[in-house]
Amino acid sequence: MLDRTDDISVAADNWLAQFEEALAKSDSGLLKTLFHADSHWRDVLALSWSIQTVNGADAILKELALHAPAAGPVGFAVDPNRAAPRKVTRAGTNAIEAIFRFETRVGRGSGIIRLIPDAANVLKAWTLLTELGELKGFEEQIGVARPRGNAYSRDFRGPNWLDLRKASAGYAEHDPAVLVIGGGQSGLSIAARLKQLNVDTLIVDREKRIGDNWRKRYHALTLHNQVQVNHLPYMLFPPNWPTYIPKDKLANWFEAYVEAMELNFWTETEFEGGSYDEKEQRWTVTLRCADGTTRTMHPRHVVLATGVSGIPSRPDIAGLKDFRGTVMHSSQYDDGENWKGKRAIVIGTGNSGHDIAQDLHSSGAEVTLFQRSSTLVVSIEPSAQLVYAPYNEGTLEDNDLIATSMPLKVARRSHALTTEKSKELDKELLEGLARAGFKLDFGEDNTGWQFKYLTRGGGYYFNVGCSDLIVKGDIALKQFADVEGFVADGAKMKSGETITADLVVLATGYKRQEELVRLLFGEAVMNRVGTIWGFGDGQELRNMYTRTGQPGLWFIAGGLAQCRIGSKHLALQIKAIEEGLLRREAGGGRRVNHS
């Protein structure tokens, strides 16, 4: 039992020592004394080979008994190379937080324990994270493990570095082990991780130039979260970069990143589809290359890295086909200068809809914004940045671990508290929007914008000025429910009024990723995979960064921080499968080899 102490390092060390002893002896009685009844354990591959969250002491003890004997975790100790144990407030709860390290039979890991006193003033675990960091014998080729070579044994007549790079990226006589579809932050992150684990990986992207998936977005776009949150794996942005990164700057960094990290990347290459051979445990896929030829490959793994936003959603709007102006989806929008002096209708009030409306207004267009459903609005500063507060201090490695450590129930509670704070900060703006007829919401159970993203991929706006224009009446606001249908000149309202327009922009989002899976792999594969994104019963993002119902098919998506974190977990699983440490099939996360 742990008495409460002001020496938080001693308290953390004592808890970890007793935890290790209880696991080694399979002592459920001792284990039960270490956890609050309302406690949470998130295991990221370390013991269960799955990404899972378990709530409640009884459930945690059951899962530990199931996985710990085979995993053999030992060496639990506060990590002296990470942030020291400290007193923190997480989700409104005061706790002792300590980062620790440990080992299993196949790997090394890190974790976070948060201790709070019970009614008897005894410190017990409130939250516990165990995360696999590396596989023994298959460590990343970085730092002291970097490739060395021998300056005195060069073959002056043999291939040099450039020759070898060209051969590696050309795939003239071999196929990659992993094919990554999509060259945005998702694809680059997982390819970089796999490169350091010595897993042969090829990225294919249909755009002409690396970074075009950002470069081709609308003219004024910048990232909505700050630079310190958004680094790609292994390479931090330079310290002189702006707080909010412009799209073209990020796109150019993607090009530099591919070169610096030696990633194999084929541009202007369309993935046309694939089928899986259960017996051979490999895919047969077809690529249409830049010169129009096709290439058949047989990778063992396919990673769909096309992001949460896949196929544009174009709703069937009554009469829109009769509109004689220009209609485009927000993904096609480029620059408002082409519409100076014109009249524009923007349908949709997420980030894209607001930003496009503001861009058109700034270019001299007369803009009407149509709201289809209630929308969460939060000022870009400081409100939208509150959720990233930990990233304002400490190391990126520690902050990523803190982000990983938050179980769903605690994270929801934390975001609800943050949302209340942001509502107070934005009170004047929100009241002005309500007066203008804008329909507001604050997410399910008041959980704010980030949970809207994690559950539905949108439904919110970071105000960088468009909301102020709506409040002032400089951008007109209409409710889409009041539209009877479109006519040749524009939108005919149920009141009889016609909102005339030269341009209609459909900022109506994207279809679910399941539709892309059906398109590329067929109905049967889509049914085996099931729902993608959003939270399921396991309290984790469904089919993200983990094995799916379709062996060899993986998914990665999200913002830069999500991809940086999730790519590590995904890469370790692929490497473990390649080395025979893990089954290809999902389900239970059991190891096949612990020696």
Side-chain angles (χ1 to χ4, degrees):
M1 301 281 285
L2 291 174
D3 292 327
R4 193 173 186 190
T5 173
D6 290 332
D7 191 332
I8 57 179
S9 294
V10 171
D13 277 328
N14 286 345
W15 190 94
L16 292 168
Q18 293 189 59
F19 182 60
E20 181 171 346
E21 178 186 354
L23 292 179
K25 295 179 179 179
S26 298
D27 187 340
S28 59
L30 175 57
L31 269 178
K32 193 163 186 176
T33 68
L34 298 177
F35 288 88
H36 282 273
D38 183 20
S39 52
H40 313 274
W41 172 38
R42 190 166 191 232
D43 184 53
V44 182
L45 310 178
L47 275 65
S48 66
W49 266 124
S50 64
I51 302 175
Q52 65 172 19
T53 298
V54 184
N55 299 316
D58 291 340
I60 291 172
L61 266 57
K62 183 179 177 181
E63 286 295 305
L64 284 171
L66 183 63
H67 299 298
V74 294
F76 288 89
V78 170
D79 192 336
N81 299 315
R82 309 291 286 265
R86 55 190 172 176
K87 294 180 179 180
V88 299
T89 301
R90 305 287 185 208
T93 299
N94 297 324
I96 291 173
E97 180 179 88
I99 299 177
F100 61 88
R101 60 188 180 189
F102 64 99
E103 294 188 12
T104 66
R105 290 191 173 93
V106 300
R108 302 177 187 90
S110 296
I112 292 182
I113 181 67
R114 296 189 182 95
L115 303 171
I116 60 176
D118 66 5
N121 215 30
V122 174
L123 285 170
K124 294 182 178 180
W126 169 45
T127 73
L128 172 66
L129 167 73
T130 49
E131 180 201 52
L132 180 66
E134 63 182 6
L135 298 169
K136 293 177 181 177
F138 307 105
E139 293 81 4
E140 290 185 333
Q141 298 177 341
I142 58 176
V144 295
R146 75 172 76 227
R148 178 173 175 81
N150 192 328
Y152 295 99
S153 61
R154 283 176 289 170
D155 184 352
F156 282 84
R157 288 300 176 198
N160 67 2
W161 172 85
L162 183 58
D163 298 327
L164 294 173
R165 279 292 302 129
K166 288 179 177 178
S168 173
Y171 291 97
E173 298 178 356
H174 71 292
D175 287 348
V178 180
L179 181 69
V180 177
I181 306 167
Q185 61 264 21
S186 302
L188 298 189
S189 295
I190 184 58
R193 298 284 192 187
L194 290 168
K195 170 77 174 179
Q196 301 314 307
L197 291 170
N198 199 31
V199 178
D200 191 356
T201 302
L202 170 64
I203 307 168
V204 296
D205 193 280
R206 63 189 175 189
E207 298 292 353
K208 186 175 182 179
R209 183 178 168 192
I210 297 168
D212 272 354
N213 46 21
W214 281 96
R215 193 177 287 110
K216 288 185 174 181
R217 299 190 193 188
Y218 58 90
H219 186 72
L221 178 63
T222 65
L223 296 190
H224 290 112
N225 53 0
Q226 296 181 351
V227 64
Q228 69 271 18
V229 181
N230 286 317
H231 306 283
L232 289 171
Y234 311 111
M235 284 179 61
L236 301 184
F237 296 127
N240 66 333
W241 272 39
T243 299
Y244 296 97
I245 306 173
K247 68 178 181 72
D248 297 283
K249 192 173 187 69
L250 184 64
N252 293 345
W253 181 260
F254 280 11
E255 279 188 314
Y257 187 82
V258 168
E259 177 61 29
M261 297 302 297
E262 299 184 12
L263 306 183
N264 296 335
F265 196 124
W266 287 8
T267 56
E268 295 184 277
T269 302
E270 187 83 22
F271 180 86
E272 295 193 332
S275 59
Y276 187 73
D277 188 319
E278 299 281 352
K279 182 179 180 181
E280 297 293 327
Q281 295 190 330
R282 68 178 189 176
W283 293 89
T284 296
V285 303
T286 302
L287 306 176
R288 183 163 297 279
C289 303
D291 60 3
T293 61
T294 60
R295 170 77 183 268
T296 299
M297 284 185 167
H298 300 284
R300 293 186 290 277
H301 308 268
V302 172
V303 180
L304 202 61
T306 51
V308 178
S309 305
I311 302 170
S313 176
R314 302 173 186 269
D316 185 13
I317 298 175
L320 190 58
K321 64 181 183 301
D322 300 321
F323 176 62
R324 62 189 175 197
T326 300
V327 179
M328 66 175 67
H329 188 264
S330 57
S331 59
Q332 300 169 295
Y333 180 83
D334 179 25
D335 191 352
E337 289 301 309
N338 300 323
W339 301 98
K340 184 176 183 178
K342 304 290 187 179
R343 293 159 298 182
I345 288 173
V346 179
I347 301 175
T349 50
N351 270 321
S352 294
H354 277 90
D355 283 354
I356 289 170
Q358 186 172 356
D359 189 62
L360 286 163
H361 171 79
S362 299
S363 297
E366 181 183 324
V367 185
T368 302
L369 184 63
F370 280 77
Q371 185 175 26
R372 296 198 302 161
S373 59
S374 62
T375 308
L376 189 154
V377 175
V378 59
S379 293
I380 188 104
E381 282 191 1
S383 299
Q385 309 308 317
L386 295 176
V387 298
Y388 298 117
Y391 283 88
N392 296 329
E393 57 185 32
T395 68
L396 186 66
E397 185 181 30
D398 286 354
N399 291 331
D400 282 352
L401 195 66
I402 291 169
T404 304
S405 74
M406 300 302 287
L408 179 61
K409 287 188 176 182
V410 176
R412 286 176 62 87
R413 193 184 315 155
S414 176
H415 283 261
L417 292 171
T418 300
T419 301
E420 283 301 311
K421 186 174 181 179
S422 68
K423 285 162 65 175
E424 187 61 33
L425 290 169
D426 295 337
K427 182 179 179 181
E428 183 178 346
L429 175 68
L430 298 176
E431 289 176 346
L433 284 170
R435 286 194 300 271
F438 194 94
K439 295 181 178 180
L440 293 160
D441 71 56
F442 302 98
E444 182 183 0
D445 297 327
N446 206 50
T447 49
W449 71 264
Q450 194 164 68
F451 270 92
K452 272 207 161 189
Y453 175 69
L454 294 172
T455 54
R456 53 176 284 193
Y460 55 88
Y461 168 56
F462 297 144
N463 180 39
V464 292
C466 190
S467 291
D468 303 272
L469 295 171
I470 293 170
V471 171
K472 290 189 292 184
D474 293 343
I475 289 178
L477 175 70
K478 299 289 184 180
Q479 293 299 321
F480 187 74
D482 295 331
V483 176
E484 182 176 298
F486 273 79
V487 294
D489 292 334
K492 184 177 179 180
M493 308 301 289
K494 292 176 181 177
S495 64
E497 176 191 12
T498 296
I499 309 297
T500 58
D502 304 291
L503 169 69
V504 172
V505 180
L506 302 174
T508 48
Y510 296 81
K511 294 181 179 179
R512 295 187 62 87
Q513 278 190 297
E514 293 94 299
E515 297 304 314
L516 184 58
V517 174
R518 177 191 282 117
L519 178 67
L520 297 177
F521 302 102
E523 191 84 18
V525 171
M526 188 202 74
N527 289 335
R528 280 196 290 274
V529 171
T531 304
I532 305 166
W533 202 252
F535 293 100
D537 294 339
Q539 302 173 70
E540 301 289 346
L541 285 174
R542 289 172 289 201
N543 287 304
M544 275 289 147
Y545 327 119
T546 189
R547 288 173 294 167
T548 69
Q550 171 58 61
L553 183 59
W554 309 79
F555 298 89
I556 181 171
L560 277 89
Q562 270 185 293
C563 292
R564 182 182 65 247
I565 295 169
S567 61
K568 176 183 176 182
H569 307 147
L570 198 162
L572 284 169
Q573 292 169 86
I574 291 177
K575 181 63 174 178
I577 290 171
E578 289 291 288
E579 300 300 336
L581 300 172
L582 178 65
R583 287 202 308 254
R584 299 174 69 87
E585 298 82 8
R590 304 295 186 268
R591 301 175 191 271
V592 297
N593 187 347
H594 299 277
S595 58

